Amino acid sequence: MDLVTVWFLAIAVLWTGYLVLEGFDFGVGALLPVIGRDDTDRRVMINSIGPVWDGNEVWVITAVGAMFAAFPAWYGSMLSGFYLLMFVILLALIVRGLAFEYRGKGDTDRWRAWWDRAITYGSAVPALLWGVIFANLVRGLAMDADHVVTAGLLDLFTPYAVLGGVTTLSLFTLHGAVFLSLKTGGAVRSRARVAALRAATVALPATGTFLAWTQAAHGKAWTLPVVALAGATLVAGVVLAARRREGWSFAATAVTVGLLSVTLFGSLYPLALPSTTDPAYSLTVSHAASAPYTLTVMTWLAVVFLPLVLGYQAWSYWVFRKRVTREHIEPTPAYGGGGPGDSPDGAPASAG
């Protein structure tokens, strides 16, 4: 296997890790007004992802950075085609991060309500738009011979791409609800179970249809069993959630998100970005790759640093593995209160 293929697989793994891990904290954020009946409930929900959400975002930073270094032409074509969607996602992630940090800095209900909306929209919008982007990445875009994307914004919202967005939004919402039922206790846990089953009524048909459409229009022979397995794990995750087996249910939804990503990248390869203008204009991974020397240096850096990053993230999940309940929530501090390093919501401010 040559280094070009190795790095395409590495980038696919990085995006898969991002969608699996950030997927559940997007879901928790999107469910904030649904499950959180009062301020304490919402602080329980926020604290359940408080130690890990920014660590999860490291995966997207690493994935985009690796694309820039290993496949600069792919990176450039994607930015030229998706820059408006990317800008909206970046803005949403910034607002969401600010909301986590500043929500507890004020002592009025109105202050917290505004930041709660920021968390909700800052989670739901990226969850929707990542699906639109990945669907377009597989379907292809109008592109000229120089691999410059000529498609407009409205061209990105085809029925297939919109279905991709609905799929990721509903699937992440289900994934987040299952995570909440696993990570929290009391009334929040009970409402999370109900939310998971309601989210499944959208996630099941949307994901099934999107996977089938992807396989029929863009899939390879080897992706067919992947699609079938993704459908089976999704159904299993919903059944396990209904039977209150939260740990196994969360593992099943995580595998489903991972297999969805495998299906998309598997359907795309060996292209990096198909052209709908003329197949001859499509960008292949070989044409998009950096020089062999660059890929060799990147490989050695990855061998040294990747285990450290993975080990640190696994350790952070282990340290903060216990359930969060209302009893763990301290009284709301006065404006500007809290000691140095304390999170406004009683959880470590960052773990990434």
Side-chain angles (χ1 to χ4, degrees):
M1 184 181 297
D2 60 10
L3 284 179
V4 172
T5 305
V6 167
W7 272 100
F8 179 83
L9 291 174
I11 288 170
V13 169
L14 290 169
W15 278 110
T16 301
Y18 171 68
L19 296 175
V20 170
L21 296 176
E22 188 91 302
F24 73 76
D25 69 53
F26 279 154
V28 171
L31 288 169
L32 198 64
V34 177
I35 296 177
R37 299 293 171 80
D38 58 23
D39 182 64
T40 303
D41 281 350
R42 291 189 283 274
R43 291 171 66 191
V44 168
M45 296 174 67
I46 293 170
N47 283 8
S48 72
I49 58 173
V52 297
W53 70 269
D54 49 357
N56 295 341
E57 291 189 350
V58 170
W59 287 77
V60 69
I61 296 171
T62 308
V64 173
M67 288 181 71
F68 172 74
F71 300 100
W74 189 13
Y75 175 88
S77 295
M78 279 192 65
L79 281 188
S80 69
F82 301 126
Y83 68 97
L84 280 175
L85 299 187
M86 292 281 192
F87 174 76
V88 173
I89 289 175
L90 180 61
L91 187 63
L93 293 179
I94 291 173
V95 170
R96 179 173 178 259
L98 288 173
F100 284 138
E101 298 295 334
Y102 283 91
R103 182 181 184 279
K105 298 296 185 184
D107 58 355
T108 66
D109 292 339
R110 185 178 181 184
W111 172 272
R112 292 191 175 87
W114 275 108
W115 289 118
D116 286 345
R117 294 189 191 99
I119 293 172
T120 301
Y121 292 115
S123 301
V125 170
L128 175 72
L129 293 184
W130 279 127
V132 174
I133 287 176
F134 278 104
N136 277 294
L137 191 63
V138 174
R139 174 184 172 273
L141 296 173
M143 191 163 58
D144 63 22
D146 295 324
H147 304 135
V148 175
V149 175
T150 56
L153 178 61
L154 294 180
D155 296 328
L156 303 180
F157 291 90
T158 62
Y160 175 70
V162 171
L163 178 60
V166 173
T167 296
T168 49
L169 177 59
S170 60
L171 188 56
F172 290 167
T173 303
L174 169 63
H175 195 32
V178 173
F179 175 80
L180 277 175
S181 64
L182 174 67
K183 184 68 178 175
T184 63
V188 173
R189 183 183 185 188
S190 301
R191 287 196 288 271
R193 287 172 179 154
V194 175
L197 298 180
R198 290 178 177 172
T201 61
V202 179
L204 279 170
T207 306
T209 306
F210 182 66
L211 283 169
W213 193 339
T214 301
Q215 178 62 32
H218 311 287
K220 312 287 194 308
W222 71 267
T223 58
L224 180 57
V226 178
V227 168
L229 186 58
T233 54
L234 179 57
V235 173
V238 175
V239 171
L240 289 166
R243 295 184 177 182
R244 303 188 176 186
R245 302 292 297 272
E246 292 96 348
W248 287 109
S249 177
F250 180 71
T253 55
V255 171
T256 303
V257 176
L259 292 177
L260 174 65
S261 178
V262 171
T263 301
L264 294 173
F265 279 97
S267 300
L268 181 62
Y269 186 82
L271 299 180
L273 185 59
S275 170
T276 58
T277 306
D278 185 336
Y281 298 161
S282 297
L283 182 65
T284 67
V285 292
S286 298
H287 292 148
S290 293
Y293 176 77
T294 302
L295 297 179
T296 302
V297 172
M298 290 178 61
T299 302
W300 281 108
L301 289 174
V303 168
V304 173
F305 290 106
L306 187 59
L308 297 176
V309 174
L310 293 176
Y312 173 76
Q313 188 152 36
W315 174 80
S316 66
Y317 272 89
W318 175 256
V319 169
F320 298 103
R321 66 189 181 279
K322 294 183 179 179
R323 290 184 185 274
V324 182
T325 66
R326 293 175 67 94
E327 288 71 28
H328 294 120
I329 303 300
E330 297 179 356
T332 303
Y335 180 76
D342 289 346
S343 162
D345 292 296
S350 64

